[in-house]
Amino acid sequence: MFEKVKEIIWMIIFTLFFGAITFIFINEFMSENDMTNVKKTEVIIIEKIGDKGLFGPPSHHVRVKLPNGEVSDNTNRVSKRQLNHLEVGDTISGYAKHERNFTTIRDYIFDGIILIGVIFLFGSLTLLGAFMLITEIPAIDRFLEEKTFLGRRSNGKFGWKVFYVTMGVFFYIAFRFMKNLFFKLVPFKQTDKHAVIIDSHYNYSHHWRSDSYYEFTVQFETETGEVIHAMKEVTYDTFQRYQVGDLLPISYSQHHPYDLFVTEMTSVDFFDVIFYRKLFASVLITFVFIYSMYHYLRFYSPFLQKNKTDNR
């Protein structure tokens, strides 16, 4: 009896602990993404710009004139399709809290995606603890055993669904990384160019969990005469070798000029890159995806298992 009471007490502590963490992060998310006082508005685009990191495809941004007539210091996220169809001088819809603020839906999603993930994780643990406590009530425990699937033997379908979703996320990240690596190593349908460095920015990280960030804003003209503005993340060594006003050797995709690469790479650049935590994370996720899919196809695929049974 004492062991049972102790177990229930620990479950209560477990539920309250993760519930408190969930509440804190929900409150943080709501304060950072307060939608109560926003109103839908349209602003004028004054610049189209891409943002290309070291290990993935580019993201797409615009700079706008705020409702008060000032030019925004920050950029706003848009889709690739929007960037291709919009021109400077066009309007774009979004949300504003006041005249010096403008946000797109994509800004809300991408800026809050980490908090959403944390809320989902700790919220799930909270619900799990609450469910375990509820099942300790004898009447509810009997009801679940007799009336629902929860008391029956699992057929494994739910586990496979979780596996498929997880592998889908891993595939998305691994594909982005591998695609970028392929076109970095194999410049297929790319055009070499020298881009003018018009601005630079860096953020030195003192924390072991994050990388320092070095970035050039460059401008160049494509073969079709389109003027491209893009923010390009570079290594520390490249950042030290070039200054604002210099020409940076790049190559860009003929189908998507915001997808660009720095073509000059020294041995120091190489060693800079291999110590990036983002590279380690991308390689690890890619390895886990390939390893998991290999074992799935070899041992657990329902389709392959059915074929093995039919061939006997």
Side-chain angles (χ1 to χ4, degrees):
M1 181 66 181
F2 177 74
E3 289 295 325
K4 190 65 174 178
V5 172
K6 188 168 69 171
E7 181 182 337
I8 293 175
I9 291 173
W10 274 113
M11 282 193 290
I12 292 173
I13 294 173
F14 174 92
T15 305
L16 292 176
F17 175 74
F18 286 111
I21 294 177
T22 304
F23 175 78
I24 291 171
F25 280 108
I26 289 176
N27 187 60
E28 182 73 14
F29 178 79
M30 295 300 293
S31 63
E32 290 186 5
N33 300 274
D34 183 14
M35 297 286 287
T36 56
N37 297 319
V38 299
K39 61 179 181 179
K40 193 169 184 179
T41 185
E42 289 190 348
V43 293
I44 299 174
I45 297 171
I46 62 170
E47 183 183 13
K48 298 164 54 178
I49 191 165
D51 188 359
K52 178 66 187 292
L54 289 174
F55 307 112
S59 56
H60 309 91
H61 302 251
V62 293
R63 196 181 304 277
V64 302
K65 183 181 290 186
L66 297 171
N68 65 354
E70 296 179 2
V71 175
S72 175
D73 294 329
N74 302 317
T75 60
N76 297 102
R77 287 179 178 269
V78 294
S79 67
K80 178 182 176 181
R81 184 175 179 275
Q82 283 178 300
L83 195 72
N84 290 334
H85 286 82
L86 292 170
E87 299 294 339
V88 173
D90 291 347
T91 59
I92 183 173
S93 297
Y95 301 89
K97 295 181 182 179
H98 47 76
E99 290 190 344
R100 301 189 63 183
N101 167 266
F102 177 77
T103 308
T104 63
I105 287 294
R106 282 180 171 261
D107 291 327
Y108 279 112
I109 294 173
F110 281 89
D111 292 344
I113 195 166
I114 295 177
L115 280 176
I116 292 172
V118 172
I119 291 169
F120 177 79
L121 172 62
F122 290 114
S124 299
L125 292 173
T126 303
L127 292 175
L128 175 62
F131 178 78
M132 291 171 64
L133 284 172
I134 291 173
T135 57
E136 291 300 321
I137 302 173
I140 294 179
D141 185 51
R142 287 193 300 271
F143 174 81
L144 293 175
E145 287 287 339
E146 296 172 2
K147 301 296 183 181
T148 74
F149 68 92
L150 295 172
R152 302 172 189 168
R153 193 176 188 85
S154 172
N155 58 12
K157 289 184 178 180
F158 179 75
W160 281 117
K161 290 178 182 178
V162 173
F163 175 78
Y164 293 146
V165 171
T166 304
M167 286 300 101
V169 174
F170 276 27
F171 172 76
Y172 175 74
I173 298 173
F175 176 76
R176 286 167 60 91
F177 169 69
M178 293 302 294
K179 179 183 177 183
N180 186 74
L181 179 63
F182 174 80
F183 284 109
K184 173 67 176 179
L185 300 176
V186 183
F188 179 68
K189 290 190 176 182
Q190 293 181 29
T191 301
D192 292 331
K193 197 78 176 180
H194 280 83
V196 180
I197 301 173
I198 59 177
D199 197 6
S200 63
H201 170 75
Y202 74 94
N203 181 23
Y204 184 76
S205 174
H206 298 275
H207 205 289
W208 67 271
R209 288 182 297 179
S210 59
D211 298 311
S212 297
Y213 187 83
Y214 305 96
E215 175 189 87
F216 286 136
T217 302
V218 300
Q219 175 181 305
F220 62 95
E221 186 175 329
T222 67
E223 298 298 309
T224 60
E226 182 182 5
V227 177
I228 299 296
H229 287 178
M231 297 178 289
K232 179 69 181 81
E233 184 182 1
V234 296
T235 63
Y236 172 76
D237 185 61
T238 299
F239 192 80
Q240 293 297 313
R241 292 201 312 269
Y242 292 92
Q243 298 178 353
V244 174
D246 290 346
L247 295 176
L248 182 69
I250 64 165
S251 64
Y252 66 89
S253 170
Q254 296 173 5
H255 299 296
H256 188 23
Y258 294 99
D259 192 8
L260 55 93
F261 303 87
V262 177
T263 55
E264 184 180 79
M265 186 171 184
T266 66
S267 57
V268 180
D269 285 319
F270 175 77
F271 283 105
D272 278 347
V273 168
I274 63 175
F275 289 109
Y276 267 68
R277 294 160 184 81
K278 286 181 288 188
L279 176 64
F280 173 77
S282 299
V283 171
L284 179 63
I285 289 174
T286 302
F287 173 77
V288 170
F289 171 75
I290 294 174
Y291 180 83
S292 300
M293 291 308 298
Y294 168 76
H295 280 273
Y296 167 76
L297 292 174
R298 185 176 180 184
F299 300 109
Y300 303 112
S301 171
F303 176 75
L304 292 180
Q305 293 298 326
K306 182 177 182 301
N307 285 346
K308 287 180 182 179
T309 304
D310 292 343
N311 292 331
R312 286 177 182 176

